[in-house]
Structure formats: structure tokens, C-alpha cells
Amino acid sequence: RRQRQMCIRDRMITEDYYGWFSQYLVVKRASIEPNFHGLYHELLDKLALPKLNKEVLKATYANAKILLGSDKIKSSSSERSLLKNLGLWLGAMTLKRSKPVLYKDLALKELIIDAFRSGKMIAVIPFVSKILESARDSKVFRPPNPWTMGIVALISEIYHKPDLKLNLKFEIEVLAKTL
């Protein structure tokens, strides 16, 4: 019976379609429907295809970088919402499963510093906060993990800036309470 299940699973989605399926899952589902993230993660767990998981993670990083690179992110609340949802998705795929967000894929500290300089704090702080919220469920990355605490310390420093917008302060407070 187990062999039959594996055979059926392998025929459901082949490696030829991993790229398409990953892009579809990230762009059309995960970024728009945060309420169904649990369902999508369960689907990936049931499929148990490591190469597919890598493709999904690659698509997540790629789409997050596209949104982060856009100047529309400063003014468009819908773009910021997509980015925030991708932060939740990314955190659940990495930190929650005790896997790191690698520097080569997404340098979170540098991202925050660049956002401070370029005026994209309104998008980056919620994005990074949503990624870090998943650290509370991790065996490795929950506080007092040095990597997590370093990013939290940087965010805390920004929190104490006198001209910081109230919604950003709120995001940071939610992160602190969650962790």
C-alpha cells in the first residue's frame, strides 16, 4: 500500500512542473491568502518532495525581492500587504521548521538598514516582523538565539526613534509580544 501511495504522489506532480507550481503557489495563493497558509504547508508536507520545497522557497525569495525592490511599496498598501503575507509564509517555511533564512538569500539586517535609508520602513518592518514571529515556534531560533536577538535589537533601536510612525511601532510591539 505504501508503494502505491508513493507511485500516486509521484504522478500527481512531476519535476517538470515544480517551477510553475511553486510560482503559482507563492504568487497566486500564499501572498494573497494568509488564512490558508496552514493548508498549503500541509499540502507540501503530504507531498513530501524536497525538490519541490526548495523551488517553493526559491519562488518565495524571488517574489519578496521583487516587491522589496519596487518603489510602489512606499505608497501601495496592497503591495505592502502582499509582502507582509510573504513574510508570514517565509517564516513558516524556514524559522518555524528550524531552518535558517540564509544571508545569501535574504540579509534581514541589511534589508532593515537599507529600508531606513531609502524610506521603505513602512514595508520592511512588517515583512521582517512577520518572518521573525515564526521563531517563537522554533526549537533553534526562538529567543535568546543570537541571530534572532540581533535582528530584534536592531528593530528595537528603530522603535525608539522619535519620528517613527505609529503603525510601525505597533508592528514592533506585536513582534515583541509574540516572541
Side-chain angles (χ1 to χ4, degrees), residues 41-170:
H41 286 297
E42 194 174 322
L43 170 68
L44 291 172
D45 290 343
K46 294 281 185 199
L47 289 173
L49 299 167
K51 287 183 181 178
L52 177 61
N53 285 339
K54 284 182 182 178
E55 283 293 320
V56 171
L57 197 55
K58 192 168 117 182
T60 304
Y61 284 125
N63 284 288
K65 287 177 182 177
I66 289 169
L67 287 169
L68 289 165
S70 169
D71 276 336
K72 266 176 92 176
I73 207 83
K74 293 178 186 179
S75 59
S76 172
S77 62
S78 63
E79 296 271 321
R80 290 192 301 268
S81 179
L82 292 174
L83 187 61
K84 200 171 169 180
N85 293 342
L86 281 180
L88 274 171
W89 176 254
L90 181 60
M93 288 204 65
T94 55
L95 301 183
K96 190 173 187 176
R97 296 176 178 190
S98 296
K99 295 178 181 175
V101 174
L102 297 176
Y103 182 86
K104 67 177 184 156
D105 295 324
L106 194 64
L108 294 179
K109 279 186 181 180
E110 284 75 6
L111 184 64
I112 294 168
I113 293 166
D114 289 345
F116 186 78
R117 292 181 183 144
S118 66
K120 292 184 179 180
M121 294 288 288
I122 194 164
V124 171
I125 290 295
F127 173 67
V128 173
S129 294
K130 293 302 175 191
I131 293 172
L132 290 178
E133 281 180 16
S134 294
R136 87 169 165 214
D137 299 323
S138 172
K139 292 178 182 174
V140 176
F141 294 102
R142 87 171 59 136
N145 175 285
W147 178 83
T148 305
M149 295 310 294
I151 297 170
V152 169
L154 177 60
I155 291 173
S156 174
E157 194 175 322
I158 290 169
Y159 178 84
H160 290 81
K161 292 284 182 193
D163 58 343
L164 190 68
K165 293 185 177 187
L166 215 53
N167 59 337
L168 293 180
K169 283 191 179 246
F170 176 74

